[in-house]
Amino acid sequence: MNIRRKVFLFIITISSLQAITTKRTSEAIQYVANLTHFINDQHFGTFVCWMLQFSEQHVPALLHSAMAQELSKDETAVLVHVDLHTSYSASFPSANVAIIFADALDEDMDHAHFCSWLDAISYKTVVIVLFKMTNQMLINSVADNFLLYGILNLLMVSINQDRIFTFNYVPTRSMVHVGFPRPSVLLYNRLKELNLESLTISYAKSSYTYSDETGVEGEDIHLFKLFFQRLGIKLTFHKPICDGKDYIIDCLEQTNNYIFVNRIYARKYSIQLIDTIEMDKILILAPKGEPLSFSEMLVKPLSPVVWILLLTICAAVHLLCRLAPSIICNDLVLLALTGIEKRSLHTTGRFEKLLAISLIVLFFQLKSAYETKLVSYMIDVPTGPDPKTLDDLRERDLQVLVDGKFFTPNQFNEQLAGLTRPDNTATLLWDKAFLINGIGLRIMARNAANMDPGTGKQRFVPLEEILGERMSFFFFRKSCPFQHDFSKYRRLVFEAGLQQYWRETVIAHRDRRFKTLVAKLTNISQQTVRGSTLKPLFICIIFLWVIALCAFLCELFIFYISKWYKLMKTQRLKGQ
């Protein structure tokens, strides 16, 4: 009788436990389905739910079927069903929620396929694991393994016990919830619960990071500092050492840091990239026109057409004087230039007077303009025309340096055919042009290295021709937990105008330093016209005076010789 009673009690106990477990399983499925519907209601656009079954046991298969039946009631959700024999491919849509059906946590499974799906889950995806709890000591180790794939929004729902686990990280800490809490209790920002005091991120020196030798922080340094300051994390900036041949992302992969501060132009889009919102114009900064030589300075005041016209007029007037000496008695070109006349102009004919007055007025105006240009050249050293197009660069045989860390030469192969040369130096080469983005151009224009200390002018000017427009990106290492929150914060900062404020602050600082440097160079030499500038001009004037004196002496010699010859001829005639 006692044996029958014990067997009866044992059967009742087993039946009760099974009923309780079945009830817990159905309640868990209904709760996870409701939680998924809640997440779908908060989402805009296509909602994708992955349903991953990587267990060979019978219970996970039943859970999968029951969950699919519950979620299929929502026609707006896209369900992706995956079994243990399916590996991930890029053709699958990105998940907003991933539900994993498992048995015991220590069950053996196909890790190759399972890891490929975990690797494809983004940080913002909510991952829910339905499992049978047999050993609570395994809970934190499972959370640590998921963290290796950048999964922070992890919920573990037990189907045989009244337990729901959520996790905070660094270090990993599990929180146990009894019953079925509200979604807001489970779906919170895990980053705000990190016990992380400091973080190291990488950067390369540029206009957006540390702008000059004084160490002024650029706008992107401010952006990252403010973002992590909100999370209570102190940043340490690390400058990676590259061999000069690596692309910037390849260089970053050599470090252990999660984030790279610099903006890059990606070869192809990746989920590891966060756009900077602004489109950058890609320009070429080329050296200004070269200083003119002294001979070029003498020719430049008048255009080639004016010189040709002037020579034509002089040749025509000189030929007219030779062919019609009875009509034109004076050398009109010499008369207009120097005022020397063989015969008084008022005693000549009307045609000669009109022609002489016209030439005098013309040459006077040209000489006035010519002298004005020469005086301006003494004050401001003249240069050749600045390049404006790529054809101008080809005419000057200028190469375009492409910084291999931020640009790739094949991006502009067609436009820069025969002009590009890879280069990773950060210094400016005065005889080379280089690529630059339009936003950084304003900062580079006020760089002290861009100023010529001799003239106080900028050494480089941007070409009017634009190569194109590109979107720049911030790079985050794969599985970085900060990427999604930074993307939202980046837009808030841009809309608030903080980025423009930081940029204008850096430009104002550079502008003050630039003006101070110009003032110092101006105070070094207060001479507006220097002796070295005037020396060629004085040499030219003295040379012309020597020629004029020689011509005058020759005229006197010829005049007296001809007079003496006539006198001797007259005396001979009288003697005969």
Side-chain angles (χ1 to χ4, degrees):
M1 187 69 179
N2 292 333
I3 296 176
R4 291 181 178 180
R5 182 180 299 177
K6 289 181 181 179
V7 171
F8 180 73
L9 291 176
F10 178 75
I11 294 173
I12 291 176
T13 303
I14 295 298
S15 301
S16 300
L17 290 176
Q18 188 174 6
I20 293 173
T21 302
T22 304
K23 180 181 179 182
R24 170 64 187 179
T25 301
S26 61
E27 289 178 347
I29 290 175
Q30 186 62 48
Y31 179 74
V32 172
N34 293 338
L35 188 63
T36 304
H37 292 316
F38 175 82
I39 298 174
N40 188 6
D41 293 338
Q42 309 299 317
H43 177 74
F44 296 95
T46 303
F47 182 82
V48 179
C49 178
W50 287 355
M51 305 180 68
L52 311 178
Q53 179 191 338
F54 288 98
S55 175
E56 297 180 351
Q57 302 299 322
H58 180 63
V59 173
L62 294 177
L63 294 176
H64 190 167
S65 300
M67 185 63 68
Q69 185 177 0
E70 288 292 333
L71 294 181
S72 61
K73 297 176 182 178
D74 188 354
E75 297 180 354
T76 62
V78 177
L79 304 181
V80 178
H81 301 274
V82 179
D83 58 20
L84 70 165
H85 301 295
T86 305
S87 61
Y88 174 78
S89 68
S91 60
F92 289 101
S94 299
N96 301 104
V97 173
I99 303 175
I100 300 176
F101 304 95
D103 196 69
L105 295 179
D106 54 357
E107 178 189 3
D108 293 331
M109 63 176 65
D110 187 351
H111 291 281
H113 294 315
F114 183 61
C115 292
S116 69
W117 285 94
L118 292 184
D119 195 44
I121 295 176
S122 65
Y123 159 75
K124 60 184 179 181
T125 302
V126 178
V127 179
I128 304 173
V129 179
L130 288 168
F131 72 105
K132 181 190 295 184
M133 190 170 68
T134 57
N135 185 359
Q136 190 168 344
M137 301 299 294
L138 298 175
I139 298 294
N140 283 358
S141 62
V142 171
D144 288 333
N145 290 330
F146 275 72
L147 183 62
L148 297 177
Y149 296 91
I151 299 174
L152 269 70
N153 298 314
L154 175 63
L155 308 176
M156 297 184 66
V157 180
S158 173
I159 60 174
N160 62 334
Q161 296 185 24
D162 187 11
R163 296 287 188 274
I164 297 178
F165 298 90
T166 58
F167 303 90
N168 294 327
Y169 298 92
V170 192
T172 302
R173 308 177 304 281
S174 61
M175 294 183 295
V176 182
H177 304 272
V178 179
F180 299 102
R182 297 188 306 273
S184 59
V185 176
L186 305 180
L187 304 175
Y188 59 91
N189 190 348
R190 266 64 169 178
L191 293 182
K192 293 183 179 179
E193 303 299 329
L194 293 178
N195 287 340
L196 185 63
E197 295 182 357
S198 63
L199 180 68
T200 301
I201 61 178
S202 300
Y203 79 98
K205 189 175 181 181
S206 71
S207 301
Y208 296 104
T209 53
Y210 288 96
S211 58
D212 52 30
E213 62 277 3
T214 60
V216 177
E217 293 179 349
E219 58 185 87
D220 291 345
I221 294 291
H222 283 291
L223 173 64
F224 279 88
K225 274 190 172 182
L226 191 60
F227 170 72
F228 284 100
Q229 184 180 352
R230 293 170 62 253
L231 300 175
I233 301 174
K234 183 180 179 181
L235 285 185
T236 302
F237 294 97
H238 169 251
K239 186 176 181 180
I241 300 175
C242 301
D243 59 4
K245 299 179 181 179
D246 294 327
Y247 189 58
I248 201 66
I249 295 183
D250 301 331
C251 178
L252 174 63
E253 291 290 348
Q254 300 173 9
T255 68
N256 294 322
N257 301 325
Y258 271 114
I259 306 169
F260 190 68
V261 177
N262 291 77
R263 305 180 181 205
I264 59 172
Y265 297 99
R267 299 168 181 171
K268 59 181 181 180
Y269 181 75
S270 168
I271 60 173
Q272 299 171 243
L273 301 174
I274 296 295
D275 66 272
T276 58
I277 301 177
E278 296 175 289
M279 294 290 290
D280 283 352
K281 294 181 179 179
I282 309 301
L283 305 170
I284 295 179
L285 203 59
K288 287 178 65 68
E290 298 178 352
L292 299 180
S293 62
F294 180 69
S295 58
E296 290 174 333
M297 291 172 59
L298 295 178
V299 176
K300 185 177 174 59
L302 301 179
S303 64
V305 177
V306 175
W307 282 115
I308 294 173
L309 181 61
L310 187 59
L311 291 175
T312 303
I313 292 174
C314 292
V317 172
H318 184 73
L319 184 62
L320 183 61
C321 294
R322 291 295 183 183
L323 295 178
S326 59
I327 299 175
I328 301 176
C329 302
N330 293 300
D331 189 339
L332 297 183
V333 176
L334 190 62
L335 174 63
L337 289 174
T338 63
I340 299 176
E341 54 184 4
K342 297 179 181 178
R343 181 178 174 182
S344 297
L345 191 60
H346 67 277
T347 61
T348 59
R350 180 176 298 177
F351 176 76
E352 184 176 352
K353 290 178 181 178
L354 293 175
L355 187 56
I357 293 173
S358 301
L359 291 176
I360 290 172
V361 173
L362 175 63
F363 286 170
F364 175 77
Q365 292 178 337
L366 291 176
K367 284 194 297 182
S368 299
Y370 189 82
E371 292 169 358
T372 302
K373 294 291 289 185
L374 286 181
V375 171
S376 68
Y377 291 165
M378 297 177 194
I379 299 173
D380 190 5
V381 178
T383 59
D386 297 333
K388 296 182 179 180
T389 63
L390 293 175
D391 292 334
D392 295 338
L393 295 183
R394 291 186 175 92
E395 289 178 2
R396 292 178 56 180
D397 196 21
L398 286 175
Q399 287 186 319
V400 180
L401 301 183
V402 179
D403 191 345
K405 287 188 176 66
F406 301 101
F407 297 97
T408 52
N410 56 11
Q411 284 181 303
F412 310 102
N413 270 342
E414 295 182 2
Q415 296 136 298
L416 300 178
L419 291 175
T420 57
R421 192 188 80 181
D423 187 87
N424 290 79
T425 59
T427 56
L428 299 179
L429 302 177
W430 312 127
D431 58 343
K432 299 290 188 298
F434 58 94
L435 287 183
I436 190 172
N437 61 69
I439 299 174
L441 178 63
R442 294 182 58 196
I443 300 175
M444 286 294 297
R446 290 303 183 180
N447 193 335
N450 190 29
M451 189 186 69
D452 188 351
T455 62
K457 294 182 178 180
Q458 294 185 2
R459 287 173 166 169
F460 291 86
V461 293
L463 265 61
E464 295 179 356
E465 188 173 347
I466 300 175
L467 292 183
E469 293 187 357
R470 295 289 188 276
M471 175 67 75
S472 55
F473 296 89
F474 294 111
F475 176 77
F476 289 74
R477 188 183 286 275
K478 196 171 185 179
S479 304
C480 177
F482 303 102
Q483 181 175 352
H484 179 62
D485 281 26
F486 179 81
S487 176
K488 296 190 294 184
Y489 182 75
R490 170 79 180 89
R491 296 191 176 276
L492 292 176
V493 167
F494 181 81
E495 292 170 0
L498 281 176
Q499 175 186 333
Q500 294 296 329
Y501 169 75
W502 292 329
R503 184 178 302 166
E504 294 301 328
T505 301
V506 173
I507 293 174
H509 175 79
R510 281 185 172 244
D511 193 53
R512 287 194 299 270
R513 294 188 69 252
F514 188 79
K515 290 179 179 178
T516 302
L517 183 60
V518 172
K520 288 181 179 179
L521 292 175
T522 305
N523 293 332
I524 293 175
S525 177
Q526 293 293 339
Q527 297 178 356
T528 305
V529 182
R530 301 173 183 172
S532 59
T533 306
L534 289 175
K535 183 178 178 180
L537 183 62
F538 279 119
I539 291 176
C540 181
I541 292 175
I542 292 172
F543 180 71
L544 293 176
W545 274 104
V546 170
I547 293 177
L549 180 61
C550 293
F552 178 68
L553 292 176
C554 290
E555 288 182 353
L556 288 179
F557 179 75
I558 294 172
F559 174 75
Y560 285 109
I561 286 295
S562 61
K563 187 176 180 181
W564 176 79
Y565 179 75
K566 290 180 181 179
L567 181 61
M568 293 297 294
K569 188 176 180 180
T570 304
Q571 289 179 356
R572 286 179 183 177
L573 291 174
K574 288 181 179 180
Q576 292 178 357

